[in-house]
Amino acid sequence: MASKLTTSNRSGWLFAFPGFGLITLFIVVPFFFAFWLSLTNQRLISPNPTEFVGLSNYERLLSVGVIDIDPEQDENGNLLRDDNGDLVYPRVRTFTRNNPDFAGYEGMREWFRWNSGDTAKVVVATDVVFWKSLTNTLMFVLIVAPVQGGLALCLALLINQRLRGINIYRAIYFMPVVVSIVVVSLLWRFIYDGNDGLLNNILSALSFGMFEGRDWLGNPNTALGSIIGMSIWQAVGFHMVIWLAGLQTISPTLYEAASIEGANKWQTFRYVTWPGLRNTAILVLIVITMQAFALFAQIDVMTNGGPLDSTTTLVFQAVERGYGKQDISGGATISVVLFLMVLTISMIQRYLTREK
Amino acid sequence: MANVKLRNVRKSYGPVEVIKGVDIDVEDGEFVVFVGPSGCGKSTLLRMIAGLEDITSGTLEIDGQVVNDLEPSKRGIAMVFQSYAIFPHMTVRENVAFGLTINKASKAEKERKVAEAARILQMEHLLDRRPSELSGGQRQRVAIGRAIVRDPKVFLFDEPLSNLDAALRMDMRMEIGKLHQSLASSMIYVTHDQVEAMTLADKIVVLKDGQVMQIGAPMELYHEPANLFVAGFLGAPSMNFLRVTVDAIDDHGVTVSNSALDPVTVAHKGRKFTLGQTATLGVRPQYLAPAGDDGMLHGKVILTERLGSETVVNVMLKDGTQLVAALSEDAILDEGTEANFRFDPAQAHIFPEVD
């Protein structure tokens, strides 16, 4: 059955074409292209023909294993110790390189290890950098989502008051949002600078010189934390505005009814404000989670994933491999994995926050 | 139960004074209705009693205690809002018990009080529903239930029936009347609907522009309006006002007339008039009757509306003013015919002011 939409509507379709065309070309096609590329060995520029390789990209990306390594012993069965008295273990390479007893671990590298008794449990992975970027990304999401959401709510509650000049504060909190993240990242590189950075100077002044400066972005222990702090600061104003919109939909008579019933500030929040913000909370949570998973610009500008891969993330790796190393199929594989993760998490969040 | 006293209560928003010195006494167990047109300050006054708006000057006493600076929750009041103000995410039971939850009452006490309120309002079957599953009338019942559970000294109602349709409004009006009889608490009720005011009130306070126009029992206001505003505000259809000239004054009354009205003598009830001044004669449509040549009002019928229980006739008087007469249902007056009307001067009112 030919509907009116498809037949006698030529000018309508003509009008829709630019929009449809652009969406198809730049969103729909690349989306499915990523799935296809992740199943091939396509490189960005290569004389060799593209081959279909099945799931081997995923296999290489995701394969992990645990090797139990016993400490080295002398002929009498005594455990060898080094000069510090620590046990001595054979190198992981001896298991993962040309060792027929551990063929399944061929080519893997150590990710991290822990000790169970004297036995070292060594987690090895083919693509250690991917696993580091995954854990960094998850760490970033797990910290940023609650902290940024909570902080934004606090700010929204503070500026949702009728005070003189409150708009100035609204503007101040919102300002970082309208500045390009690249510019913000560059500025924060100066703040975090190890030699004469603003943060070092302030901490030194506040502690009367007790604090010795450190290179915030150059130290694997502080680099990710520094980027988390700066990222929370940058986008908190955006989520504050969303919370504020939610706050202003709550009927003032509900607050009046609560005050007549004698609710204190906390009870008013607990019984009136928070339930009224339910839908806003779901929105904020999902938006922050997705934004956090897409962490890229800060890393690219501030650390390039370093030091020692301590700040590398999934999107950064996808770009780095796809374009930096011209391994477009590898980048596509990471993109697909990221897509599936974000999809799963969003669906879990939807399920957990569904209307009961 | 308690009395409420307002003494010279004023409220200003910056330079704008919205309540201009109000004195009202609400006796123990009395049902008082604040009535007036939109913007007269009746809701503001109620919110000042509740503590939701502060009082610029004057004193407010509840139960003999000045409560000007007391928190709303400490004043011993409960309030029912026009928009119900029930919490959408809580069940009816949780809504009704909200005040008890806040004050950490025991579970047994909560159950007892909620059951009691539900019994009074006949909503036991609604207790586990959510507000979204309730009709407007049921929601307002929940709001009233929440007020009952507080066991307040004074109930405050802010246009509680305005969001309901006509039929439901009548039912709820009766329920609120019954509630007042069974609880015997003091109640203050704000409305712009004169029917609610007339039917519910022990005492009506008529407000206009932040000032009290008249305070009294419903029939007292109806029969003895203190001024033109009260006379015109209460009663439906509203009172006819005729612009007349004072022809004579004696100890009992003034004699007035105009080109459409033969001279008639009306009691002045202490109001001061001067000879020859223009005054306003008020006659309620219900007190007009068709007459033959002995009628004192002369005009022409321009519209007849048959309402069933009565027939409302619009008359163009000879001087150009319109007159409304509410006649019995069988009165037949054809449109376009000349007609005369008479009334009992004892049921007419004469006011020195002219609107």
Side-chain angles (χ1 to χ4, degrees), chain B residues 138-175:
Chain B
Q138 290 170 329
R139 287 180 201 188
Q140 199 52 286
R141 223 174 274 236
V142 175
I144 294 171
R146 192 172 62 193
I148 291 175
V149 163
R150 277 182 65 71
D151 202 6
K153 295 175 189 165
V154 186
F155 281 88
L156 306 176
F157 293 91
D158 188 5
E159 308 211 18
L161 309 184
S162 297
N163 283 4
L164 306 180
D165 63 53
L168 207 52
R169 201 179 302 167
M170 208 163 90
D171 289 349
M172 285 300 288
R173 198 175 72 211
M174 288 185 197
E175 295 228 8

Tab-separated table of all heavy atoms in Angstrom, chain B residues 138-175:
chain	number	residue	atom	x	y	z
B	138	GLN	N	-11.255	13.650	45.670
B	138	GLN	CA	-10.569	12.724	46.577
B	138	GLN	C	-9.248	13.306	47.050
B	138	GLN	O	-8.865	13.152	48.208
B	138	GLN	CB	-10.336	11.391	45.865
B	138	GLN	CG	-11.626	10.627	45.641
B	138	GLN	CD	-11.427	9.436	44.727
B	138	GLN	OE1	-10.581	9.445	43.840
B	138	GLN	NE2	-12.219	8.395	44.940
B	139	ARG	N	-8.562	14.011	46.149
B	139	ARG	CA	-7.285	14.632	46.540
B	139	ARG	C	-7.518	15.667	47.635
B	139	ARG	O	-6.766	15.764	48.599
B	139	ARG	CB	-6.636	15.318	45.348
B	139	ARG	CG	-6.066	14.328	44.378
B	139	ARG	CD	-5.430	15.036	43.208
B	139	ARG	NE	-5.353	14.096	42.093
B	139	ARG	CZ	-4.719	14.326	40.966
B	139	ARG	NH1	-4.111	15.476	40.783
B	139	ARG	NH2	-4.693	13.435	40.021
B	140	GLN	N	-8.576	16.459	47.455
B	140	GLN	CA	-8.841	17.476	48.460
B	140	GLN	C	-9.200	16.810	49.791
B	140	GLN	O	-8.858	17.306	50.849
B	140	GLN	CB	-9.968	18.402	47.977
B	140	GLN	CG	-10.025	19.740	48.685
B	140	GLN	CD	-8.696	20.466	48.685
B	140	GLN	OE1	-7.761	20.096	49.404
B	140	GLN	NE2	-8.583	21.510	47.896
B	141	ARG	N	-9.860	15.647	49.707
B	141	ARG	CA	-10.180	14.901	50.917
B	141	ARG	C	-8.898	14.472	51.636
B	141	ARG	O	-8.817	14.526	52.857
B	141	ARG	CB	-10.967	13.658	50.508
B	141	ARG	CG	-12.129	13.355	51.374
B	141	ARG	CD	-12.857	12.206	50.741
B	141	ARG	NE	-13.790	12.721	49.757
B	141	ARG	CZ	-15.080	12.437	49.801
B	141	ARG	NH1	-15.552	11.670	50.744
B	141	ARG	NH2	-15.887	12.930	48.895
B	142	VAL	N	-7.910	14.060	50.841
B	142	VAL	CA	-6.625	13.669	51.437
B	142	VAL	C	-5.993	14.868	52.137
B	142	VAL	O	-5.494	14.767	53.262
B	142	VAL	CB	-5.665	13.128	50.356
B	142	VAL	CG1	-4.299	12.846	50.945
B	142	VAL	CG2	-6.243	11.881	49.727
B	143	ALA	N	-6.049	16.020	51.474
B	143	ALA	CA	-5.464	17.221	52.072
B	143	ALA	C	-6.179	17.565	53.373
B	143	ALA	O	-5.546	17.965	54.354
B	143	ALA	CB	-5.550	18.382	51.087
B	144	ILE	N	-7.495	17.397	53.388
B	144	ILE	CA	-8.241	17.682	54.621
B	144	ILE	C	-7.882	16.653	55.686
B	144	ILE	O	-7.723	16.985	56.864
B	144	ILE	CB	-9.758	17.695	54.332
B	144	ILE	CG1	-10.101	18.864	53.406
B	144	ILE	CG2	-10.547	17.816	55.627
B	144	ILE	CD1	-11.522	18.860	52.882
B	145	GLY	N	-7.687	15.397	55.233
B	145	GLY	CA	-7.276	14.355	56.172
B	145	GLY	C	-5.950	14.689	56.835
B	145	GLY	O	-5.785	14.526	58.047
B	146	ARG	N	-5.025	15.192	56.041
B	146	ARG	CA	-3.716	15.572	56.585
B	146	ARG	C	-3.875	16.681	57.614
B	146	ARG	O	-3.166	16.736	58.608
B	146	ARG	CB	-2.806	16.030	55.442
B	146	ARG	CG	-1.366	16.172	55.854
B	146	ARG	CD	-0.498	16.444	54.659
B	146	ARG	NE	-0.865	17.693	53.998
B	146	ARG	CZ	-0.432	18.045	52.785
B	146	ARG	NH1	0.361	17.266	52.116
B	146	ARG	NH2	-0.799	19.196	52.264
B	147	ALA	N	-4.855	17.563	57.367
B	147	ALA	CA	-5.108	18.644	58.325
B	147	ALA	C	-5.722	18.092	59.605
B	147	ALA	O	-5.321	18.473	60.711
B	147	ALA	CB	-6.020	19.692	57.699
B	148	ILE	N	-6.662	17.160	59.473
B	148	ILE	CA	-7.342	16.610	60.657
B	148	ILE	C	-6.341	15.919	61.574
B	148	ILE	O	-6.378	16.076	62.792
B	148	ILE	CB	-8.436	15.600	60.228
B	148	ILE	CG1	-9.578	16.342	59.539
B	148	ILE	CG2	-8.955	14.818	61.426
B	148	ILE	CD1	-10.642	15.433	58.988
B	149	VAL	N	-5.419	15.172	60.970
B	149	VAL	CA	-4.461	14.405	61.750
B	149	VAL	C	-3.605	15.314	62.634
B	149	VAL	O	-3.165	14.930	63.706
B	149	VAL	CB	-3.584	13.559	60.789
B	149	VAL	CG1	-2.335	13.073	61.467
B	149	VAL	CG2	-4.393	12.388	60.277
B	150	ARG	N	-3.400	16.535	62.190
B	150	ARG	CA	-2.606	17.473	62.996
B	150	ARG	C	-3.327	17.904	64.258
B	150	ARG	O	-2.720	18.484	65.149
B	150	ARG	CB	-2.297	18.738	62.176
B	150	ARG	CG	-1.123	18.588	61.261
B	150	ARG	CD	-0.853	19.884	60.529
B	150	ARG	NE	-0.438	20.980	61.402
B	150	ARG	CZ	0.727	21.032	62.001
B	150	ARG	NH1	1.573	20.075	61.835
B	150	ARG	NH2	1.032	22.061	62.773
B	151	ASP	N	-4.646	17.656	64.297
B	151	ASP	CA	-5.432	18.032	65.457
B	151	ASP	C	-5.229	19.509	65.794
B	151	ASP	O	-4.849	19.862	66.911
B	151	ASP	CB	-5.000	17.148	66.649
B	151	ASP	CG	-6.109	17.095	67.682
B	151	ASP	OD1	-7.197	17.636	67.386
B	151	ASP	OD2	-5.877	16.555	68.776
B	152	PRO	N	-5.459	20.389	64.836
B	152	PRO	CA	-5.091	21.786	65.006
B	152	PRO	C	-6.105	22.570	65.840
B	152	PRO	O	-7.251	22.142	66.000
B	152	PRO	CB	-5.100	22.307	63.571
B	152	PRO	CG	-6.136	21.490	62.899
B	152	PRO	CD	-6.140	20.148	63.551
B	153	LYS	N	-5.642	23.698	66.349
B	153	LYS	CA	-6.570	24.604	67.034
B	153	LYS	C	-7.454	25.293	66.012
B	153	LYS	O	-8.619	25.567	66.264
B	153	LYS	CB	-5.786	25.664	67.808
B	153	LYS	CG	-4.939	25.116	68.941
B	153	LYS	CD	-4.129	26.250	69.544
B	153	LYS	CE	-3.106	25.714	70.524
B	153	LYS	NZ	-2.101	26.746	70.845
B	154	VAL	N	-6.869	25.616	64.868
B	154	VAL	CA	-7.599	26.333	63.827
B	154	VAL	C	-7.326	25.673	62.470
B	154	VAL	O	-6.180	25.388	62.145
B	154	VAL	CB	-7.146	27.811	63.756
B	154	VAL	CG1	-8.010	28.587	62.773
B	154	VAL	CG2	-7.187	28.458	65.123
B	155	PHE	N	-8.390	25.439	61.733
B	155	PHE	CA	-8.250	24.966	60.353
B	155	PHE	C	-8.264	26.167	59.425
B	155	PHE	O	-9.109	27.053	59.570
B	155	PHE	CB	-9.433	24.079	59.958
B	155	PHE	CG	-9.354	22.676	60.461
B	155	PHE	CD1	-9.863	22.347	61.710
B	155	PHE	CD2	-8.791	21.684	59.689
B	155	PHE	CE1	-9.801	21.046	62.172
B	155	PHE	CE2	-8.728	20.379	60.140
B	155	PHE	CZ	-9.240	20.055	61.391
B	156	LEU	N	-7.365	26.184	58.452
B	156	LEU	CA	-7.365	27.248	57.456
B	156	LEU	C	-7.623	26.624	56.083
B	156	LEU	O	-6.978	25.655	55.703
B	156	LEU	CB	-6.017	27.976	57.448
B	156	LEU	CG	-5.527	28.516	58.792
B	156	LEU	CD1	-4.146	29.125	58.641
B	156	LEU	CD2	-6.478	29.540	59.366
B	157	PHE	N	-8.575	27.175	55.366
B	157	PHE	CA	-8.883	26.667	54.019
B	157	PHE	C	-8.656	27.795	53.025
B	157	PHE	O	-9.255	28.860	53.150
B	157	PHE	CB	-10.348	26.237	53.920
B	157	PHE	CG	-10.703	25.045	54.765
B	157	PHE	CD1	-11.161	25.204	56.066
B	157	PHE	CD2	-10.602	23.767	54.255
B	157	PHE	CE1	-11.500	24.108	56.838
B	157	PHE	CE2	-10.945	22.665	55.017
B	157	PHE	CZ	-11.394	22.837	56.319
B	158	ASP	N	-7.800	27.554	52.034
B	158	ASP	CA	-7.540	28.582	51.023
B	158	ASP	C	-8.207	28.172	49.714
B	158	ASP	O	-7.651	27.398	48.955
B	158	ASP	CB	-6.029	28.753	50.836
B	158	ASP	CG	-5.706	29.939	49.950
B	158	ASP	OD1	-6.647	30.676	49.576
B	158	ASP	OD2	-4.523	30.125	49.623
B	159	GLU	N	-9.390	28.662	49.477
B	159	GLU	CA	-10.161	28.333	48.275
B	159	GLU	C	-10.110	26.845	47.949
B	159	GLU	O	-9.715	26.455	46.846
B	159	GLU	CB	-9.656	29.140	47.065
B	159	GLU	CG	-9.596	30.611	47.351
B	159	GLU	CD	-9.832	31.460	46.122
B	159	GLU	OE1	-10.375	30.931	45.138
B	159	GLU	OE2	-9.501	32.652	46.158
B	160	PRO	N	-10.498	25.987	48.880
B	160	PRO	CA	-10.270	24.550	48.693
B	160	PRO	C	-11.100	23.940	47.566
B	160	PRO	O	-10.762	22.881	47.066
B	160	PRO	CB	-10.675	23.946	50.036
B	160	PRO	CG	-11.637	24.915	50.612
B	160	PRO	CD	-11.193	26.266	50.146
B	161	LEU	N	-12.165	24.594	47.161
B	161	LEU	CA	-13.053	23.966	46.180
B	161	LEU	C	-12.928	24.571	44.791
B	161	LEU	O	-13.616	24.166	43.870
B	161	LEU	CB	-14.509	24.067	46.659
B	161	LEU	CG	-14.762	23.587	48.089
B	161	LEU	CD1	-16.234	23.653	48.411
B	161	LEU	CD2	-14.253	22.168	48.281
B	162	SER	N	-12.030	25.541	44.640
B	162	SER	CA	-11.975	26.269	43.364
B	162	SER	C	-11.549	25.408	42.187
B	162	SER	O	-11.875	25.706	41.058
B	162	SER	CB	-11.028	27.453	43.483
B	162	SER	OG	-11.528	28.333	44.448
B	163	ASN	N	-10.776	24.332	42.467
B	163	ASN	CA	-10.314	23.500	41.351
B	163	ASN	C	-11.275	22.368	41.025
B	163	ASN	O	-10.975	21.524	40.200
B	163	ASN	CB	-8.943	22.901	41.685
B	163	ASN	CG	-7.834	23.915	41.535
B	163	ASN	OD1	-8.105	25.084	41.262
B	163	ASN	ND2	-6.608	23.493	41.719
B	164	LEU	N	-12.427	22.323	41.683
B	164	LEU	CA	-13.351	21.211	41.460
B	164	LEU	C	-14.485	21.655	40.542
B	164	LEU	O	-14.799	22.837	40.445
B	164	LEU	CB	-13.935	20.755	42.803
B	164	LEU	CG	-12.915	20.395	43.883
B	164	LEU	CD1	-13.626	19.967	45.152
B	164	LEU	CD2	-12.003	19.284	43.400
B	165	ASP	N	-15.107	20.675	39.888
B	165	ASP	CA	-16.240	21.047	39.033
B	165	ASP	C	-17.479	21.311	39.900
B	165	ASP	O	-17.511	20.994	41.091
B	165	ASP	CB	-16.489	19.987	37.971
B	165	ASP	CG	-16.873	18.661	38.566
B	165	ASP	OD1	-17.814	18.614	39.373
B	165	ASP	OD2	-16.207	17.653	38.232
B	166	ALA	N	-18.502	21.883	39.274
B	166	ALA	CA	-19.624	22.438	40.031
B	166	ALA	C	-20.292	21.409	40.941
B	166	ALA	O	-20.552	21.682	42.115
B	166	ALA	CB	-20.627	23.047	39.070
B	167	ALA	N	-20.570	20.208	40.403
B	167	ALA	CA	-21.296	19.213	41.185
B	167	ALA	C	-20.475	18.773	42.396
B	167	ALA	O	-20.980	18.700	43.525
B	167	ALA	CB	-21.624	18.012	40.310
B	168	LEU	N	-19.189	18.499	42.128
B	168	LEU	CA	-18.305	18.052	43.191
B	168	LEU	C	-18.138	19.138	44.250
B	168	LEU	O	-18.049	18.869	45.446
B	168	LEU	CB	-16.950	17.721	42.559
B	168	LEU	CG	-16.102	16.697	43.270
B	168	LEU	CD1	-16.909	15.446	43.520
B	168	LEU	CD2	-14.900	16.353	42.395
B	169	ARG	N	-18.116	20.368	43.784
B	169	ARG	CA	-17.940	21.487	44.686
B	169	ARG	C	-19.083	21.520	45.712
B	169	ARG	O	-18.873	21.757	46.881
B	169	ARG	CB	-17.914	22.782	43.873
B	169	ARG	CG	-17.267	23.926	44.592
B	169	ARG	CD	-17.255	25.158	43.727
B	169	ARG	NE	-16.559	24.936	42.462
B	169	ARG	CZ	-16.627	25.760	41.440
B	169	ARG	NH1	-17.353	26.864	41.525
B	169	ARG	NH2	-15.963	25.511	40.335
B	170	MET	N	-20.301	21.221	45.224
B	170	MET	CA	-21.446	21.254	46.121
B	170	MET	C	-21.325	20.143	47.163
B	170	MET	O	-21.545	20.365	48.349
B	170	MET	CB	-22.729	21.105	45.319
B	170	MET	CG	-23.895	21.757	45.977
B	170	MET	SD	-25.230	21.991	44.816
B	170	MET	CE	-26.113	20.470	45.034
B	171	ASP	N	-20.917	18.937	46.689
B	171	ASP	CA	-20.749	17.821	47.629
B	171	ASP	C	-19.718	18.145	48.695
B	171	ASP	O	-19.949	17.957	49.886
B	171	ASP	CB	-20.267	16.567	46.876
B	171	ASP	CG	-21.362	15.993	46.010
B	171	ASP	OD1	-22.519	16.453	46.166
B	171	ASP	OD2	-21.061	15.116	45.186
B	172	MET	N	-18.560	18.631	48.215
B	172	MET	CA	-17.475	18.896	49.161
B	172	MET	C	-17.840	20.020	50.118
B	172	MET	O	-17.427	20.018	51.264
B	172	MET	CB	-16.189	19.256	48.402
B	172	MET	CG	-15.474	18.088	47.751
B	172	MET	SD	-14.954	16.826	48.930
B	172	MET	CE	-13.608	17.647	49.767
B	173	ARG	N	-18.623	20.970	49.610
B	173	ARG	CA	-19.055	22.074	50.458
B	173	ARG	C	-19.860	21.529	51.631
B	173	ARG	O	-19.638	21.900	52.781
B	173	ARG	CB	-19.914	23.016	49.609
B	173	ARG	CG	-20.075	24.383	50.174
B	173	ARG	CD	-20.828	25.240	49.203
B	173	ARG	NE	-22.227	24.876	49.133
B	173	ARG	CZ	-22.985	24.998	48.038
B	173	ARG	NH1	-22.469	25.452	46.913
B	173	ARG	NH2	-24.241	24.654	48.062
B	174	MET	N	-20.766	20.620	51.308
B	174	MET	CA	-21.572	20.033	52.378
B	174	MET	C	-20.694	19.241	53.335
B	174	MET	O	-20.885	19.273	54.542
B	174	MET	CB	-22.625	19.113	51.775
B	174	MET	CG	-23.725	19.867	51.071
B	174	MET	SD	-24.957	18.685	50.538
B	174	MET	CE	-25.849	19.627	49.343
B	175	GLU	N	-19.702	18.533	52.765
B	175	GLU	CA	-18.826	17.728	53.621
B	175	GLU	C	-18.044	18.603	54.582
B	175	GLU	O	-17.844	18.248	55.739
B	175	GLU	CB	-17.851	16.928	52.758
B	175	GLU	CG	-18.563	15.909	51.914
B	175	GLU	CD	-17.915	14.561	52.013
B	175	GLU	OE1	-17.012	14.414	52.851
B	175	GLU	OE2	-18.313	13.674	51.251
